[in-house]
Amino acid sequence: MKTTSADATINTQPRAPEPAKTGTGTRVIDLGDSVTIGGLRVAIMAGPCAIETVDQLQAVADSVKKTGASILRGGVYKMRTAPQSFQGLGEKAFKMAADICRKTGLKFVTEAVDEQSLDLVDQHADMIQIGTRNMHNSALLKRAGKCKKPVLLKRGFSATIEEFLLAADYILQGGNTRVILCERGIRTFNTYSRYTLDLNLVPALRERTPLPVMVDVSHGTGKRTMVPPMALAAIACGADGVMMEVHHAPDEALSDGAQSLAIEDFETLVPRMRSVAEAIGRTL
Ligand code: PEP
Ligand code: MN
């Protein structure tokens, strides 16, 4: 295996683990306007699975802003398992997100599903998400290495830590050093939840790479009742950020309603997340 990444992401010898309370020892990724991922402050990325309407995005964005979170998520393009499922509004959703982010001061992350959408996301969003299904798409990863914006790389749902780190290396070696890794649940024999959230990966990655590590507690569980406890656990085990889906009317969501928090539940959860962050010497 080639292990010569400029960023030494792939080390065969684990580094000594960093105690969470002294900070993370991770690279700090700057999104501008004092919004960072990595370092002592735990980032929250929240928003709908898919952007559906201006009113929907505005309602969620107002809540994200009010709780003190800094990054709005929202799918412009959706990679759905079934072709008949809602595939996202496409390009027109960029303007909706841009208008709302300009008003609220939030940063925006959305997924690039192919090389064409990658260029558009690089142009219109503050951070590019590469989803679980594309973690093995080396052509897309290489092109993301040439993009200007930071990349949030999600773990393939059956990828090992080595495969995940090597996928990140494709981006790093292309010259884009602003990569954030995101655990989002893996396939196991468990059928109770949509995936099994592998929180072991957070300290494991900490031993292997200086890249910040996030946890997506919505796709990782698939159930809104499991989101709050896993969000607290993700912070407790050292995640640099937590991603979660929030919707103003989750039962009517066009995608992933079952795992989306209602706005009130999100607003109750964030102060609890803050308490856990403070308990381990971090802020939120
Ligand atoms: C998402 O976050 O919108 C998403 C589709 O996630 P994943 O690629 O992890 O399934
Ligand atoms: Mn989703």
Side-chain angles (χ1 to χ4, degrees):
M1 189 192 300
K2 189 165 180 286
T3 59
T4 54
S5 157
D7 279 273
T9 301
I10 305 299
N11 279 323
T12 46
Q13 295 301 313
R15 291 191 306 141
E18 305 279 348
K21 85 184 216 322
T22 60
T24 61
T26 52
R27 182 172 304 172
V28 177
I29 312 285
D30 191 354
L31 301 189
D33 302 318
S34 311
V35 177
T36 54
I37 305 172
L40 280 181
R41 185 179 290 274
V42 177
I44 298 183
M45 291 181 200
C49 177
I51 297 175
E52 298 168 7
T53 63
V54 173
D55 290 349
Q56 170 232 30
L57 195 62
Q58 185 73 61
V60 178
D62 287 344
S63 171
V64 172
K65 182 71 187 175
K66 187 169 122 188
T67 58
S70 52
I71 303 162
L72 180 67
R73 61 148 287 145
V76 170
Y77 307 98
K78 295 306 302 176
M79 290 191 93
R80 306 301 299 281
T81 304
Q84 57 272 32
S85 299
F86 178 58
Q87 307 283 313
L89 292 179
E91 243 179 287
K92 67 179 176 206
F94 285 125
K95 181 164 165 29
M96 291 158 62
D99 289 346
I100 287 170
C101 286
R102 194 175 324 106
K103 278 191 275 170
T104 53
L106 294 168
K107 298 293 173 187
F108 179 57
V109 59
T110 195
E111 181 175 351
V113 295
D114 52 24
E115 293 180 42
Q116 193 188 355
S117 61
L118 179 63
D119 294 342
L120 290 168
V121 173
D122 193 27
Q123 211 178 310
H124 295 292
D126 298 295
M127 183 160 51
I128 302 161
Q129 182 173 320
I130 295 191
T132 193
R133 290 164 185 81
N134 267 321
M135 191 214 82
H136 295 283
N137 183 343
S138 52
L140 192 67
L141 299 173
K142 280 183 193 167
R143 192 151 167 156
K146 301 293 172 205
C147 287
K148 295 186 296 293
K149 303 286 169 60
V151 178
L152 178 71
L153 178 65
K154 292 186 128 191
R155 179 191 192 178
F157 54 66
S158 58
T160 63
I161 186 172
E162 307 301 337
E163 289 165 338
F164 193 20
L165 289 169
L166 288 167
D169 264 357
Y170 268 104
I171 305 170
L172 297 169
Q173 289 183 10
N176 189 347
T177 55
R178 298 197 295 164
V179 177
I180 299 116
L181 302 172
C182 184
E183 159 61 24
R184 50 79 66 208
I186 53 171
R187 281 262 159 86
T188 66
F189 55 82
N190 156 44
T191 53
Y192 186 72
S193 51
R194 187 177 180 187
Y195 293 95
T196 297
L197 191 64
D198 181 13
L199 289 184
N200 278 357
L201 193 74
V202 176
L205 285 171
R206 194 68 86 225
E207 292 177 3
R208 297 288 301 275
T209 173
L211 300 177
V213 178
M214 295 208 43
V215 176
D216 173 351
V217 290
S218 299
H219 294 87
T221 59
K223 285 189 174 158
R224 95 176 57 115
T225 50
M226 294 175 71
V227 165
M230 298 318 283
L232 302 179
I235 295 176
C237 74
D240 298 300
V242 179
M243 172 184 274
M244 65 190 100
E245 292 181 336
V246 181
H247 198 282
H248 71 305
D251 292 331
E252 286 151 37
L254 297 182
S255 63
D256 286 348
Q259 67 193 31
S260 299
L261 289 181
I263 285 175
E264 313 76 73
D265 295 338
F266 171 69
E267 290 178 359
T268 307
L269 173 59
V270 173
R272 298 173 64 213
M273 293 168 70
R274 186 168 288 119
S275 300
V276 174
E278 286 167 1
I280 60 164
R282 300 185 76 168
T283 57
L284 188 145

